[in-house]
Amino acid sequence: MKYQPIKIIENQQQKLLTPAFNMSSSARCFGTNFLGRLKSPICSSNAEQDDHQLPKFEHFGEAVAIPRGPYSDATLECVRVDMMQNENKSDHHCHLYEGKNNILIVRRAQEFQMTLQFNQPVNPSDNFQIEFYIGIDDNVLNGTKIIISFDGSQTGNWTGRMIQQQGDACVVGITPSADAIIGKYYTSVAVIGSNGISRTQKDSGTDFYLLFNAWASNDEVYMPNEEERQEYVMNENGFIYEEESGDGRQWFYGQFVEGILDACFQILDDSHMPLVNRGDAVKVCRIGSAMMNSQDDRGVLVGNWSDDYSLGTAPTFWLGSDQILLQYVNKGPVSFAQCWVYAGTFNTFLRCLGIPARVITNFNSAHDNTGNIVTDLVFNSVGNQLELNERLTRDSIWNYHCWNEAYLSRLDLPADQNFGGWQVVDSTPQETSDGYYRCGPCSVKAIKEGMLGYQFDAPFVFAEVNSDVYKYKLNSQTGKTELLSVDTTYVGMKILTKSIGETNEPMDITETYKYPEGSSKDEETMRNAERTYKTHLQYDDEQGVAMTLEIPQERVKIGQNFQMAVVFRNLSEDTRTIHGFLVGSTIYYTNIQRAQFKQLTFDVTLKPMETSRIQVVVLAQNYMPKLGCQSNLRFVVTAKSMENNQDMTAIQIVNLKGPELAFAMSGPAKVNQEIFVKVEFTNPFPFSLHDVRMAIQGPNFISYREKLYSEISTGASITWIESCVPTRSGNTMIYAVLDCSVLGNVQGNWAVSVQA
């Protein structure tokens, strides 16, 4: 890009801003402020000018902008700046970012190169500098204005060097500081001469984005392992687990999709986060956690944990983050989300900005509303039966909950504690933190050690993964509660994330959050935690009879009958008579009851040391009418030993498996060659499905597309065929989803190899 330099002539009597003037109708003249920044146009190319017409002048106090002709002296001017996009993007691991304008994207704490072309060869006596600006009110003191000189002097923590000089061209290297502000920078080249300063005009072709750098050892997001960097920064495909067995949903992060990087920076702008804080990854994570939800700041996603999604998109229908973020940019908060949608979208935000991140699923995840790092469940005593009191039970245990981990060195915490590494960040709006619905970043290591005094939100995270479950019986006459039992193993049963590489296999990371139950280190952790919060109550659990609830090992399909068993073991030397009560309910994945569909009472007599099993048959005709779209069943069994009044409780969740989508292609996939993909679905239910939405998407393979079917009758099949042209060779994924008011979580994903 060639420039019309602006020359600032200074003397003791006056200051004249003298823009170079090209005698053509396309010329524009610009003023500058006292810092030399480009200001509003003085004259516009919209008005036709002949070869003899001069532009209008504008006064800036003492400064007067006037045209000038050819230089009488051989003054050095920068006439072209090449940001060397292709070379720099590849070196900075930014080559996958898509965009039509090919803007430079680089990472901080790593050198990038620029080529400067001048109007004449550069002499050793020539003095020029490169200036970078971010935001409007730029200032050298706060890092929003950067000046790089090549005369041996230096301002700020950015550095520059002359790599090569040949004739009128110079190749320079620029290294942003390791704590530089991330965002979009503007570039100007200034030549300092005896008569003043000549600056290049503002040009979008020399703008660039600066990101965090997981490859730089002095960046706070540095991750030493390359395999991990490729997974947690560069991988666009993810898997979010909803079953302990490893079942779940594929998720397209799409951090490199065109428009996503701009969307992520717009989120920071919408949060009104000061620019000076945007070099701090901890603060960026914390702001991002708040902005992913719209609870109190018109952030990205609107939560909805009901069955009514008529005013938006069902959470189960999203295939990935890119459609959500692009919709947010154009229309504001996006409806609707639940925890995996928040986590998937937040993961895109973090990876896009260069922060290593992954999605975590915690099974039997406690939500401690009372802030005592204990999960309290209250049961009503009704005759010889116990029923869960949902009104008095303020705490809850979700079937699973998804959050994110970001990899940070945590320079804000004491160095001797070594609390760097993976940090919990959670954008699902559960509890407020410093006035906003957000959570973290919180050191995973601090959680494991029970060190809950370090910011941010450690007590809440600790309760999610390691709180004890206290079960109480409410005395209806006195209104007081009596402790029934304490379960130290139920919460945080398993914590999973995706394994590294092109696989959907889960990686069990439970041990990173807590020590084995009952070990000496676990006991030390609990002591540390309890020193900060309440001391746990003591109770007597040696009462003779143990009760468990067994569910099928293989996943039950929606519409299928199945059996389960209540198992009693008499551990005493005495005969025990047991009266039991089972309640089956359909629930949301947050463990909130939707509707009851089964009640069963039973009695059993146990001889000393005897084990007895009560078989329970669950019929689809009972649960299907009350199922809802998330396919979760909860069974609560309460029982009483009549001889010694021992109360027992057991809870189990059955997650039903939905029907599957079938996929096929017309042939091998090749770059820039048309191919047809086919998705099929058959309705296996004894009722019709209405207003069925389907969507399909494949990165660099098939753009996002939707289709609506007004009805799919019982036993009927639908076939959806789409034409597509792959744009990049290598491995990719095809995602598809089907959703309607009575059926969710119908997904399909297929790995595809595209040949060059």
Coordinates of all heavy atoms in Angstrom, one line a residue, residues 35 69 93 116 138 145 225 253 283 299 317 321 356 368 401 482 497 502 663:
L35 N -0.3 14.3 18.8 CA 0.5 13.1 18.9 C 0.9 12.5 17.5 O 1.5 11.5 17.4 CB -0.2 12.0 19.7 CG -0.3 12.2 21.2 CD1 -1.1 11.2 21.9 CD2 1.1 12.3 21.9
G69 N 4.1 21.0 -2.7 CA 4.4 20.4 -3.9 C 5.6 19.4 -3.7 O 5.8 19.0 -2.6
H93 N 1.4 -19.6 14.4 CA 0.3 -20.6 14.6 C -1.1 -19.9 14.4 O -2.0 -20.3 15.1 CB 0.4 -21.3 15.9 CG 1.7 -21.8 16.2 ND1 2.2 -23.0 15.7 CD2 2.8 -21.3 16.9 CE1 3.4 -23.3 16.1 NE2 3.8 -22.2 16.9
L116 N 9.4 -2.4 5.2 CA 9.1 -1.0 5.0 C 9.8 -0.6 3.8 O 11.0 -0.8 3.6 CB 9.6 -0.2 6.2 CG 9.2 -0.6 7.6 CD1 9.8 0.3 8.7 CD2 7.7 -0.7 7.8
D138 N -5.1 6.7 23.2 CA -3.8 5.9 23.3 C -2.8 6.7 24.1 O -2.8 8.0 24.1 CB -3.2 5.6 21.9 CG -3.2 6.8 21.0 OD1 -2.3 7.6 21.2 OD2 -4.1 6.9 20.2
K145 N -0.2 2.9 23.4 CA 0.6 3.4 22.3 C 2.0 2.9 22.5 O 2.6 3.0 23.5 CB 0.6 4.9 22.3 CG 1.5 5.5 21.2 CD 1.4 7.1 21.2 CE 2.3 7.6 20.1 NZ 2.3 9.1 20.1
N225 N 3.9 -28.2 26.5 CA 3.8 -29.4 25.7 C 3.1 -29.1 24.3 O 2.0 -28.6 24.3 CB 3.0 -30.5 26.4 CG 3.0 -31.8 25.6 OD1 2.1 -32.0 24.8 ND2 3.8 -32.8 26.0
Y253 N -16.1 -26.0 17.9 CA -15.7 -24.8 18.6 C -15.6 -23.7 17.5 O -16.1 -22.6 17.8 CB -14.4 -24.9 19.3 CG -14.5 -25.9 20.5 CD1 -13.7 -27.0 20.6 CD2 -15.5 -25.8 21.4 CE1 -13.8 -27.9 21.6 CE2 -15.6 -26.7 22.5 CZ -14.7 -27.8 22.6 OH -14.9 -28.7 23.6
K283 N -7.9 -11.7 34.2 CA -9.0 -10.8 34.1 C -9.9 -11.0 32.9 O -11.1 -10.9 32.9 CB -8.5 -9.4 34.1 CG -7.9 -9.0 35.5 CD -7.3 -7.6 35.5 CE -6.7 -7.2 36.8 NZ -6.1 -5.8 36.8
G299 N -25.1 -10.4 28.1 CA -24.0 -11.2 27.5 C -24.5 -12.1 26.4 O -25.6 -11.9 25.9
F317 N -30.2 -28.3 20.4 CA -30.2 -28.2 18.9 C -28.9 -27.6 18.4 O -28.5 -27.7 17.2 CB -31.4 -27.4 18.4 CG -31.6 -27.4 16.9 CD1 -32.0 -28.6 16.3 CD2 -31.3 -26.3 16.1 CE1 -32.2 -28.6 14.9 CE2 -31.5 -26.3 14.7 CZ -31.9 -27.5 14.1
S321 N -20.3 -23.5 18.5 CA -20.3 -22.1 19.0 C -20.4 -21.1 17.9 O -20.8 -19.9 18.2 CB -19.0 -21.9 19.8 OG -18.7 -22.9 20.7
P356 N -5.2 -21.5 26.3 CA -5.5 -23.0 26.3 C -6.7 -23.3 27.1 O -6.8 -22.8 28.3 CB -4.2 -23.6 26.8 CG -3.1 -22.6 26.6 CD -3.8 -21.2 26.8
D368 N -24.0 -25.9 45.7 CA -24.1 -25.5 47.1 C -24.7 -24.0 47.2 O -24.0 -23.1 47.0 CB -22.7 -25.5 47.7 CG -22.7 -25.1 49.2 OD1 -23.8 -25.1 49.8 OD2 -21.6 -24.7 49.7
H401 N -22.6 -31.5 35.3 CA -22.4 -30.1 35.0 C -21.1 -29.9 34.2 O -20.1 -30.5 34.5 CB -22.4 -29.3 36.3 CG -22.2 -27.8 36.1 ND1 -23.0 -27.1 35.2 CD2 -21.4 -26.9 36.7 CE1 -22.6 -25.8 35.2 NE2 -21.6 -25.7 36.1
E482 N -33.3 -34.2 61.6 CA -32.4 -35.2 62.3 C -31.6 -35.7 61.2 O -32.0 -36.1 60.1 CB -33.3 -36.3 62.9 CG -32.5 -37.4 63.4 CD -33.4 -38.6 63.8 OE1 -34.6 -38.4 63.9 OE2 -32.9 -39.7 63.9
T497 N -12.8 -35.2 30.6 CA -12.6 -34.2 29.5 C -12.1 -35.0 28.3 O -11.8 -36.2 28.4 CB -11.6 -33.1 29.9 OG1 -11.6 -32.1 28.9 CG2 -10.1 -33.7 30.0
E502 N -7.2 -36.9 17.7 CA -8.4 -37.1 16.9 C -9.2 -38.3 17.4 O -9.2 -39.4 16.8 CB -8.0 -37.3 15.4 CG -7.4 -36.0 14.8 CD -7.1 -36.2 13.3 OE1 -7.4 -37.3 12.8 OE2 -6.5 -35.3 12.7
F663 N -25.7 -41.7 8.3 CA -25.0 -40.8 7.4 C -24.4 -41.6 6.2 O -23.9 -42.7 6.4 CB -24.0 -40.1 8.2 CG -23.1 -39.2 7.4 CD1 -23.5 -37.9 6.9 CD2 -21.8 -39.6 7.0 CE1 -22.6 -37.1 6.2 CE2 -20.9 -38.8 6.3 CZ -21.4 -37.5 5.9

